[in-house]
Amino acid sequence: MNYSAVIIGTGRIGFTLGFDKKREQPASHTMALKANKRINLIGAADSNPQNLEKWKKYNKAKAATFTSSQQLYASLHPDIITVAVNEESHMEECLAAIKAKPRLVILEKPVALNSEEAGKIAACASEYKVPVMVNHERRFSRDYIIAKDYLEKIGDIQSLTGELYSGLRVYGAEFEKDGSYSLLHDGTHLVDIVQFLLDEKLENPLVTGIYRDEKSIVRNFTALYKCKKCPLVEIKMSGRSKFFSFGLDILGTKGRISLGNGYANFYQRKESNLYTGFYSLMPDKSVKIPKKTGYFANMVQNAVDFLDGKEELKSPLSIAIDDLLVLEDIKKALKE
């Protein structure tokens, strides 16, 4: 059985990142859906005529195009609706997608601009009995899945540090209207993967190291947490770096995991070749990291397996809302 799918939003994550030669492909919703043999991509909608025209040329006559989601839903009744619009339109378009009654909605992260909007999405999904999965892509990435399985090999977890560095502002109240700040836009990925690895919710943060620029825009902070599995969790973000970096460092009593964008390193306690009578952490060469992580393809496959009744959703709406609540706890501290 094949499943029909449509895309709402044919911008970067919806379409054009699929042409980035430096990224692991598929890197957009369009390319990931088209790459799955069980899915027929039958249409797309976008209010931007340039975006829609490029998408139409790429997909030729195989899929219909519409200038609004309302027009699309009046003509098509897909099994899967992917919502890949800008953050400020997430709630409106996700509610419309749910009310179109597909078998599944795939929503690009973050869920919404805030938890109030996210709650409306959850209520609507419950009312219409339409499941929603959120594209927190690292949950589907093979390197992070390997890391989660490897945790039992590093002993008791002593600390976990998650770092996100970029040039985008971390937070400013005036940017809440469209979500154009890194705490929401990228921080959702960082918080989500930490909670995924620990299988715990991050609560009661101690937010310190706050740096504001001359316009009082937050550019740096560190949030500290204590969990059952880890006595020290650090979430660090910078919005004044001249580079982009996303990474995690997990230190155990017997080993270490360091992974992030473009790297994955695993270490084990071995007899030291530097000091007699000591042990050092040495690279574990037995861990085989695949050349392709499959982060986008695996997300779409999870959607297919869910519709087949073979798997649960690995990134359901409820977990994504938990991520948003963690970000709002941090944001509250940044406002004080």
Side-chain angles (χ1 to χ4, degrees), residues 10-27:
T10 58
R12 280 169 51 82
I13 196 66
F15 177 46
T16 60
L17 288 181
F19 299 103
D20 188 338
K21 294 181 180 181
K22 291 184 177 182
R23 291 175 185 257
E24 177 188 318
Q25 295 295 334

Side-chain angles (χ1 to χ4, degrees), residues 159-203:
S159 65
L160 184 154
T161 301
E163 299 177 333
L164 175 57
Y165 302 129
S166 75
L168 179 63
R169 67 192 74 87
V170 171
Y171 174 73
E174 61 267 45
F175 304 105
E176 288 196 49
K177 63 183 182 298
D178 62 3
S180 60
Y181 59 100
S182 187
L183 177 64
L184 180 69
H185 185 74
D186 298 306
T188 183
H189 277 309
L190 186 58
V191 165
D192 183 75
I193 200 60
V194 170
Q195 296 196 129
F196 168 74
L197 291 172
L198 294 178
D199 281 323
E200 288 191 60
K201 294 181 181 179
L202 299 178
E203 298 177 312

Side-chain angles (χ1 to χ4, degrees), residues 255-323:
R256 190 174 208 143
I257 302 171
S258 297
L259 76 164
N261 289 7
Y263 67 96
N265 301 304
F266 299 80
Y267 303 89
Q268 277 290 307
R269 169 184 178 269
K270 301 287 185 181
E271 187 173 344
S272 179
N273 59 2
L274 301 173
Y275 315 105
T276 301
F278 284 80
Y279 288 83
S280 298
L281 292 180
M282 305 293 288
D284 187 347
K285 297 181 180 180
S286 70
V287 181
K288 304 299 181 184
I289 305 299
K291 292 183 178 179
K292 295 193 70 172
T293 68
Y295 67 99
F296 231 124
N298 290 343
M299 183 274 290
V300 171
Q301 187 59 48
N302 179 230
V304 170
D305 291 338
F306 170 77
L307 293 176
D308 284 347
K310 296 178 181 179
E311 287 186 350
E312 295 296 320
L313 293 177
K314 295 179 180 178
S315 185
L317 177 63
S318 58
I319 289 178
I321 291 177
D322 285 343
D323 296 330

Side-chain angles (χ1 to χ4, degrees), residues 8 45-46 66-74 93 96:
I8 311 301
D46 199 311
F66 304 85
T67 56
S68 72
S69 59
Q70 291 85 350
Q71 291 178 355
L72 185 151
Y73 300 142
E93 289 296 348

Side-chain angles (χ1 to χ4, degrees), residues 8 69-70 73 81 83-100 105-125 132 134 176-179 184 317 321 324:
I8 311 301
S69 59
Q70 291 85 350
Y73 300 142
I81 298 175
V83 177
V85 295
N86 293 334
E87 283 92 336
E88 65 265 34
S89 299
H90 275 203
M91 183 184 72
E92 177 186 356
E93 289 296 348
C94 193
L95 291 178
I98 292 168
K99 292 174 182 178
V105 170
I106 298 175
L107 175 62
E108 182 54 34
K109 63 78 193 170
V111 176
L113 292 177
N114 52 61
S115 58
E116 181 180 355
E117 290 189 355
K120 292 178 181 179
I121 292 173
C124 187
V132 178
V134 179
E176 288 196 49
K177 63 183 182 298
D178 62 3
L184 180 69
L317 177 63
I321 291 177
L324 190 57

